[in-house]
Amino acid sequence: MTAELVRGQNRPLPQARLEVRVSAGTPVVAGATLADAQGRVSGTEWVAHPGVPTLAGVEVSRQAAADHRLAFDLDALPESVHWVSVLLALPTGVGGPVRFGGLSAPVAAVTGLDGSEVAQYTISGLDSESAVIALELYRRQGAWKVRAVGQGYAGGLAALLADQGLAEAEQLAGGINEAVVQGLARSVAPPPPRLSDGDRTRQTAAPAAPPGASGAVPPHQGPAGVPRQGSAYDVTGSPGPVPQPPAGGPIDYVHPGRHGAAPQAPPPTAPAAPPGQSAQPVAGDATGWSMEERLYNQVRGMFEDLARTAAAYRSAVDFADSRLEQELDEVLADPRNRIGEQGDMAREAARTKHTRLVTQARASLDRDLTQLVAESDVVEPALPPAFARWDNPVWHGYRVPVEMPMAVRLGDLHLPESESLRIPMLIRLPLERGLWIDSGRSGSLDPLVDSDELRRLAMETAVAHAARLLAVYPPDEFAVHVIDPAGSGAPALAPLVRSGVLADPPAVGATGVGGVLTRLTRRVDLLQMAARGGASDALPPDLDTAGHLLIVHDFPHGFDDRAVTQLRYLADEGPLVGVHLMLVAAREDAAGYGPLLDPLWRSLLRLTPVPDDHLADPWVGHAWTYEPPRVPGGSQVLAQVLGQVAKARRAWDH
């Protein structure tokens, strides 16, 4: 359960060992200061920074970076420490930005060691400031809390440290910046070596203009093989900032949240390939603290590689088309070349040049696709149940997990240039927004599917998603409720009902709809009040803190105005306290409500029961085709998995 803090808001910390994860979108210096009960930093030895990254109970990054992970063990801090301030500053003298006002707002999140978020704060409202105190961890009556601060300093790091009572603020700020500059100088990579086509460090540049051609490849036509990093594996409309590294160089699998922290175990690496042969792909060939995280990073890297190589190909084709049009215009501009042998030769030369450019671009694309397909063939069988398709043999050995995975698969993604390559669509857990399974015809790529069939497929897709969520959560940490006012979804809901995994039978009729919505609304109210007041121990004993999913079928049929208002409230406020919607509906059915429901549709992640190219990728401008998960026909895998989930739940209840 994540709390989105506003400036000045605080929240109790549930554990002493935790991390603060920072995402700034541009390289920043991250550090921490330790202060006494009066909030004063007694000396430079109480400041953790890149030059001195480790103090008792504190470890910060050794370098400026766009993403940081700062580790804290509050029990290991000296007894005299009552305040820990997490600070961010823009490095000076390195040619970067000099104020936060021109950048995207940094985000600081407090998480457990397992990555579960406790609180998050978006540091907005900065302008001329070049240093900021993001968060404070402070001791109050023997317990630790976190407060969102967001106090900026136009005078930079020196002004920030001086404000905390440090006499040597100027000297320390200069030393910190010097350490950062030296570190950046050491981190410059040498030019990349010449690589074979199949090398893991792919460098697929778009074809350059031929010798003698006026003009060069336009700047936006970048290579496909730039390092894998950032947070671009998000086609839901909220991509994180993606750094733009220089062209060329090896693929960098460093997790954006792992900069400055070495993994506990090195990932498996592919054996070196003989000269002229491709390197053999290896599952888990990425950085991470566990095999699950390495596979997640590898899948995300495959997504980014496909996006980049497709963008390079499209850019190269666009360039070739524009060159052809330009050269033909030049031929036609001279009346002597419009007819006759000389004009025909010029036009033929322009078309030949265009064909050569497009052929070169396609060859580069095909080379990358071949390696990505080979990598996918190795990675898919190695995926854990949360990441795997329903036809993966891993489900035959399924066991109910004891902890929540870091992500879950909601389908597959592909581009028109890669019809044979499917990239798993992995969404981080816990969910940050609800789901909308669109049963309408808007944008459907399959015109042969009629409306009734779409509604049936939509409900089956919703059941498959719900079953997967139930399967990947521990038995006591997730519950599913169903609203089916007319009972028309009963055939599709049969696997959930027969197995006994639902929290209660599907609600039918207006009375059933109102009862479920009232209970979940009350739940959200209580959890929000407890979180805001720091009184989680005052919750009613019968109110569990597990995640809840509400499947709503055939909306808005059976909903009155009060029920619609409650549903909108759950969509807006529920995700913050672990209550999510899965709406199975066609937007045109709710047209009578007009713009009233527009915020509801926008708050949900739209998925479709048939392939559809509606998922936008603002990172490179692609429209990805989404394919929903499908349980193989005649397979008993869904029933077997739900049976194990139900058995584990019964054992837990007793």
Side-chain angles (χ1 to χ4, degrees):
M1 184 171 62
T2 305
E4 182 70 35
L5 302 180
V6 298
R7 186 172 183 177
Q9 188 177 6
N10 62 54
R11 180 176 175 82
L13 294 174
Q15 57 202 65
R17 299 184 64 190
L18 48 86
E19 292 179 345
V20 173
R21 304 187 181 192
V22 175
S23 177
T26 193
V28 298
V29 179
T33 61
L34 310 182
D36 56 21
Q38 286 72 44
R40 298 185 63 84
V41 179
S42 61
T44 57
E45 68 278 4
W46 278 27
V47 182
H49 55 82
V52 183
T54 304
L55 300 178
V58 181
E59 183 174 358
V60 303
S61 303
R62 299 174 182 269
Q63 186 51 273
D67 301 280
H68 292 272
R69 290 182 61 168
L70 287 65
F72 296 91
D73 185 351
L74 302 178
D75 289 340
L77 294 172
E79 286 293 329
S80 56
V81 173
H82 288 257
W83 299 81
V84 180
S85 299
V86 177
L87 57 93
L88 307 176
L90 294 169
T92 59
V94 296
V98 296
R99 65 188 189 94
F100 280 109
L103 308 173
S104 58
V107 177
V110 180
T111 74
L113 297 183
D114 59 353
S116 58
E117 286 196 2
V118 177
Q120 180 173 292
Y121 174 43
T122 301
I123 311 168
S124 58
L126 298 177
D127 186 13
S128 60
E129 297 88 344
S130 59
V132 61
I133 297 176
L135 301 171
E136 285 179 344
L137 312 179
Y138 62 97
R139 197 197 311 256
R140 182 65 52 82
Q141 296 179 349
W144 284 91
K145 295 185 176 183
V146 58
R147 176 186 289 123
V149 181
Q151 175 63 54
Y153 294 84
L157 193 56
L160 184 155
L161 295 172
D163 191 49
Q164 295 200 334
L166 191 62
E168 306 90 340
E170 287 283 352
Q171 298 89 327
L172 180 58
I176 293 174
N177 193 65
E178 180 64 25
V180 171
V181 172
Q182 291 178 0
L184 288 175
R186 291 193 301 269
S187 67
V188 176
R194 185 176 182 84
L195 303 171
S196 63
D197 287 348
D199 197 291
R200 178 68 185 170
T201 57
R202 296 186 288 276
Q203 300 182 90
T204 307
S214 60
V217 178
H220 64 273
Q221 181 180 335
V226 293
R228 292 177 174 173
Q229 57 182 355
S231 304
Y233 187 40
D234 180 0
V235 292
T236 65
S238 55
V242 180
Q244 299 297 325
I251 302 295
D252 178 11
Y253 287 103
V254 175
H255 189 291
R258 300 293 188 195
H259 285 295
Q264 292 175 334
T269 56
Q277 297 185 19
S278 299
Q280 183 68 27
V282 175
D285 186 12
T287 302
W289 289 57
S290 65
M291 188 61 176
E292 178 190 51
E293 185 172 2
R294 291 198 290 267
L295 287 169
Y296 173 83
N297 288 341
Q298 187 171 15
V299 169
R300 188 181 62 186
M302 292 165 59
F303 171 86
E304 295 179 359
D305 276 358
L306 177 56
R308 290 186 178 106
T309 193
Y313 170 71
R314 294 179 185 182
S315 181
V317 172
D318 289 343
F319 172 71
D321 291 343
S322 65
R323 290 289 305 160
L324 175 62
E325 183 178 354
Q326 179 183 347
E327 292 180 5
L328 291 178
D329 287 344
E330 291 175 356
V331 172
L332 295 175
D334 189 345
R336 295 170 298 178
N337 293 335
R338 292 177 184 173
I339 58 175
E341 183 177 353
Q342 185 175 356
D344 292 340
M345 291 176 60
R347 283 188 286 270
E348 183 61 28
R351 293 189 181 98
T352 300
K353 190 182 301 180
H354 173 270
T355 302
R356 183 169 66 251
L357 286 173
V358 173
T359 301
Q360 290 174 351
R362 186 70 214 190
S364 297
L365 174 67
D366 289 342
R367 183 175 66 243
D368 277 0
L369 290 181
T370 298
Q371 183 154 347
L372 281 170
V373 169
E375 185 175 9
S376 177
D377 291 342
V378 172
V379 170
E380 277 285 358
L383 295 177
F387 300 175
R389 290 194 297 250
W390 285 111
D391 59 356
N392 193 312
V394 71
W395 287 105
H396 297 301
Y398 167 77
R399 295 292 182 271
V400 178
V402 296
E403 61 181 13
M404 180 184 71
M406 67 183 301
V408 67
R409 186 173 189 160
L410 294 184
D412 293 326
L413 301 169
H414 69 87
L415 292 173
E417 293 86 354
S418 60
E419 289 291 339
S420 62
L421 177 62
R422 300 294 188 269
I423 304 295
M425 180 181 172
L426 303 182
I427 300 296
R428 293 297 297 264
L429 292 179
L431 296 173
E432 296 182 356
R433 58 197 297 200
L435 305 176
W436 166 28
I437 314 300
D438 189 358
S439 59
R441 296 205 58 85
S442 56
S444 172
L445 296 182
D446 192 349
L448 301 179
V449 181
D450 60 30
S451 298
D452 292 339
E453 180 69 4
L454 275 175
R455 294 178 187 276
R456 182 186 67 81
L457 291 174
M459 196 59 193
E460 289 181 355
T461 301
V463 169
H465 287 315
R468 181 180 290 268
L469 289 168
L470 285 165
V472 303
Y473 271 88
D476 63 322
E477 293 187 11
F478 198 74
V480 174
H481 311 264
V482 176
I483 288 178
D484 186 19
S488 57
L493 290 168
L496 299 178
V497 176
R498 282 198 301 262
S499 61
V501 295
L502 295 178
D504 37 51
V508 297
T511 303
V513 171
V516 172
L517 292 176
T518 298
R519 289 197 301 272
L520 290 179
T521 301
R522 172 181 175 271
R523 174 187 184 81
V524 171
D525 287 339
L526 291 175
L527 288 174
Q528 282 195 338
M529 287 189 292
R532 291 168 180 167
S536 56
D537 54 347
L539 287 170
D542 61 335
L543 187 72
D544 64 271
T545 57
H548 286 250
L549 176 70
L550 173 61
I551 302 176
V552 179
H553 180 231
D554 217 13
F555 176 81
H557 301 298
F559 281 73
D560 55 22
D561 290 345
R562 181 172 183 271
V564 170
T565 301
Q566 289 176 314
L567 198 68
R568 286 187 55 190
Y569 175 75
L570 292 177
D572 292 339
E573 305 295 335
L576 295 176
V577 292
V579 177
H580 300 279
L581 289 183
M582 185 184 291
L583 203 61
V584 184
R587 190 166 185 172
E588 54 267 27
D589 291 344
Y593 287 94
L596 177 67
L597 293 182
D598 285 351
L600 173 64
W601 305 117
R602 287 195 298 266
S603 69
L604 304 174
L605 170 60
R606 177 176 175 250
L607 303 176
T608 54
V610 294
D612 192 276
D613 60 352
H614 67 281
L615 287 177
D617 177 6
W619 177 45
V620 288
H622 295 329
W624 292 79
T625 297
Y626 166 78
E627 291 188 1
R630 287 279 181 262
V631 179
S635 172
Q636 297 299 312
V637 62
L638 196 64
Q640 293 171 0
V641 168
L642 290 176
Q644 291 199 42
V645 171
K647 181 179 179 181
R649 287 172 177 267
R650 289 193 295 268
W652 180 268
D653 292 339
H654 290 88

